[in-house]
Amino acid sequence: MPFDTELTRRLGIKIPVVQGGMQWVGYAELAAAVSNAGGLGILTALTQPTPDDLRKEIQKTRTMTKNPFGVNITLLPSLQPPDYGAYAQVVIDEGIKIVETAGNSPGPVIAKLKKAGVIVLHKCTTIRHAQSAIKLGVDFLSIDGFECAGHVGESDITNFILLSKARQTLKVPFIASGGFADGQGLAAALCLGAEGINMGTRFMCTVEAPIHQKIKEEIVKAQETDTQLVMRRWTNTTRLYRNKVTDAVVKIERESKTGEFAEIAPYVSGKRGRQVFTNGDAEYGVWTAGQVIGLIHDIPTCDALVKRIEKEAEETLTSKLKLAKPKL
Ligand code: NAD
């Protein structure tokens, strides 16, 4: 069944599956593999140390796929705040047509991108933030339920409520993000009103994901109970794979008298977390994972994964349609 949704039509993709931005994971290899498989691959801007490195990564991706791909720009507290405007300028100069934005106060970046005619998908964890993003002129919302990996927001609303609320209230098309790993999930998201799904953790566990094999095997072993929330005390709640480092952070978070962010900074630092993906030691630093980690049982190529999702979604939707027909 060819998928024909607002997302596939506007983005020029075959299957309504987006590979969301992932710090230290969203490199050319993964983005190109997802785009070649018929979904939308996305490079993560801040994974590149400078805007010029992002330019090179975009050019490298172009040599690996002829299909559309996007760039993620996330605006969240950072130990070394980046020059977001400069990253956005590179995206525009390189002729990128699709950007996923996320985080706080995205107004100036979205305005700049929209002025250049870029299609913007904005990720948000509440309907209130979605409404603000609509005022900024975004083309799609990426509705991020509490199940999701990384920055879950502070409202803790899971996708069963959030997606239906989006369908009931938003005048702009949306995709479903957080908790998706298979075609049954895609079928459910479409039924709830979404135009497609976004997946992060599932794509980390593919052949092409540029992370250590041992971390992929750790994802296969993990259960849905193996994530932990940290940084609520600093209004930057983040879901991570639970390990010794996240346990230490939670202890400081509970017990610290000062509440200084500096106390946990060495533990949650992205520089340290990044090494997990190169040294393969899941306990070395913090790394992001969604509750969907409990639904991931293999390490397929992106092509095999996307084809399987397409087939499962089709089978799910057609078998439910058959059930819905009255018996004569
Ligand atoms: P980092 O080393 O700068 O910071 C580590 C963590 O601490 C991040 O989660 C960050 O948001 C948080 N943090 C830093 N300063 C803070 C403060 N003063 N108060 C509250 N929280 C604070 O982060 P990094 O891993 O090098 O990532 C760089 C940037 O990319 C961060 O803004 C991060 O949030 C963001 N990010 C993007 C994605 C994505 O998918 N695009 C995923 C994860 C993180």
Side-chain angles (χ1 to χ4, degrees):
M1 174 178 69
F3 282 95
D4 181 20
T5 75
E6 185 84 17
L7 188 81
T8 58
R9 286 192 293 276
R10 290 282 306 279
L11 269 49
I13 58 175
K14 205 170 136 251
I15 296 147
V17 175
V18 173
Q19 165 251 312
M22 285 175 278
Q23 188 66 326
W24 318 122
V25 183
Y27 290 96
E29 290 76 10
L30 181 59
V34 175
S35 288
N36 283 334
L40 185 81
I42 292 193
L43 296 174
T44 303
L46 300 187
T47 291
Q48 299 301 324
T50 67
D52 202 47
D53 291 301
L54 175 62
R55 184 190 310 282
K56 289 181 192 139
E57 197 71 4
I58 291 170
Q59 290 170 355
K60 181 176 171 186
T61 313
R62 286 230 164 87
T63 66
M64 300 167 82
T65 183
K66 296 282 163 271
N67 293 346
F69 64 92
V71 173
N72 164 286
I73 302 179
T74 296
L75 303 101
L76 282 163
S78 185
L79 295 173
Q80 287 167 319
D83 183 349
Y84 299 111
Y87 280 96
Q89 191 59 49
V90 162
V91 163
I92 293 166
D93 292 347
E94 286 301 310
I96 290 289
K97 296 282 175 269
I98 307 157
V99 169
E100 177 190 63
T101 53
N104 309 325
S105 311
V109 165
I110 291 175
K112 194 177 170 93
L113 295 167
K114 285 312 303 167
K115 208 167 153 211
V118 174
I119 296 174
V120 176
L121 284 81
H122 184 69
K123 216 177 227 189
C124 41
T125 55
T126 67
I127 298 299
R128 190 169 60 81
H129 290 142
Q131 304 282 23
S132 307
I134 290 171
K135 287 197 192 117
L136 296 171
V138 301
D139 300 274
F140 289 90
L141 279 319
S142 186
I143 299 292
D144 218 11
F146 185 53
E147 307 90 331
C148 75
H151 300 272
V152 301
E154 311 305 320
S155 303
D156 306 356
I157 309 294
T158 57
N159 258 338
F160 243 107
I161 303 302
L162 211 50
L163 293 173
S164 280
K165 190 75 178 196
R167 184 188 70 247
Q168 290 172 2
T169 53
L170 302 181
K171 298 271 183 289
V172 161
F174 63 91
I175 64 169
S177 176
F180 296 97
D182 55 27
Q184 286 80 358
L186 171 57
L190 295 175
C191 289
L192 290 173
E195 304 294 330
I197 55 171
N198 178 87
M199 303 196 304
T201 311
R202 175 63 272 197
F203 279 122
M204 277 170 73
C205 200
T206 56
V207 171
E208 294 91 345
I211 64 172
H212 201 286
Q213 182 68 13
K214 281 205 175 131
I215 300 304
K216 298 179 192 178
E217 288 163 10
E218 200 64 29
I219 293 175
V220 170
K221 271 193 271 160
Q223 302 302 316
E224 60 279 15
T225 44
D226 288 336
T227 72
Q228 192 161 29
L229 296 172
V230 302
M231 297 197 283
R232 173 136 292 172
R233 188 163 174 178
W234 295 275
T235 329
N236 190 19
T237 309
T238 300
R239 187 183 298 285
L240 302 167
Y241 172 80
R242 182 176 187 166
N243 62 15
K244 285 184 196 132
V245 186
T246 60
D247 281 343
V249 173
V250 166
K251 190 167 187 297
I252 297 170
E253 196 164 351
R254 275 200 205 116
E255 295 173 4
S256 166
K257 298 251 184 314
T258 66
E260 293 284 338
F261 188 78
E263 286 188 57
I264 64 155
Y267 296 88
V268 297
S269 141
K271 277 204 188 102
R272 178 170 170 181
R274 175 185 198 174
Q275 291 183 61
V276 166
F277 295 142
T278 49
N279 69 17
D281 178 0
E283 297 288 323
Y284 187 84
V286 299
W287 54 283
T288 307
Q291 290 180 334
V292 77
I293 199 167
L295 304 182
I296 297 169
H297 311 299
D298 60 359
I299 310 171
T301 62
C302 288
D303 191 60
L305 175 64
V306 170
K307 283 202 172 83
R308 184 168 76 201
I309 289 175
E310 186 178 21
K311 187 165 176 280
E312 287 169 347
E314 180 178 354
E315 282 171 6
T316 305
L317 290 167
T318 50
S319 69
K320 297 290 173 210
L321 281 179
K322 263 186 226 143
L323 283 179
K325 273 189 196 150
K327 285 197 185 101
L328 296 173

